[in-house]
Amino acid sequence: MTTIVTDGKSIAFDSLYQVNGRRMYMREEPKVVICNGQTYGFAGDNSLFMPMIEWCEAGAKPADYPKIGEARFTLIVPKAKQALLYTSESPYVSTHPYPCAVGTGADIAYGALAAGTSVLGACRIAADIDLGSGKPVKSEIVMIRKN
């Protein structure tokens, strides 16, 4: 229920949240945060965003993966050459080349990117079309911590 798009330099994200089936916009819970000089983006059950960031900050060891129950999410961590993706389906990281999009609007965003739009433009188009995403769309500069 989100669209997040990054090219490793900027990251764009929509502002729709759903709480108990109700559509809400521009809530206090962030979809993108910077923690200790690293950008993190989160699509899915927002209650797990901070526990997943804490897990990543502690080294992202599969043995220490947070208990998530039935929740579904994707955590995107932009790095210099590719994005790291952590999901509710596995405690192991997968990598994805840039550009990278996650959430229910990802396929629409990839189509827009293939047509030549920017990261921000792709996220805006996805927010227009995808029922799980909504405007306004924001964009931030990606911060990548050098480990």
Side-chain angles (χ1 to χ4, degrees), residues 39-97:
T39 298
Y40 293 91
F42 197 81
D45 184 339
N46 204 275
S47 67
L48 293 168
F49 194 5
M50 291 314 295
M52 289 303 299
I53 289 174
E54 291 167 4
W55 177 71
C56 283
E57 290 286 312
K61 297 180 184 105
D64 298 330
Y65 190 68
K67 295 187 183 346
I68 60 167
E70 300 289 319
R72 309 267 310 167
F73 66 84
T74 301
L75 175 68
I76 182 168
V77 186
K79 292 295 186 180
K81 297 185 186 213
Q82 60 195 359
L84 305 181
L85 300 178
Y86 298 93
T87 71
S88 51
E89 298 165 10
S90 172
Y92 299 98
V93 67
S94 62
T95 58
H96 196 288

Side-chain angles (χ1 to χ4, degrees), residues 90-142:
S90 172
Y92 299 98
V93 67
S94 62
T95 58
H96 196 288
Y98 293 121
C100 182
V102 299
T104 57
D107 289 342
I108 297 164
Y110 280 125
L113 289 164
T117 63
S118 66
V119 165
L120 182 60
C123 196
R124 283 184 176 145
I125 290 168
D128 279 340
I129 297 170
D130 176 45
L131 295 177
S133 302
K135 288 184 175 178
V137 171
K138 292 182 172 183
S139 178
E140 294 185 8
I141 301 298
V142 166

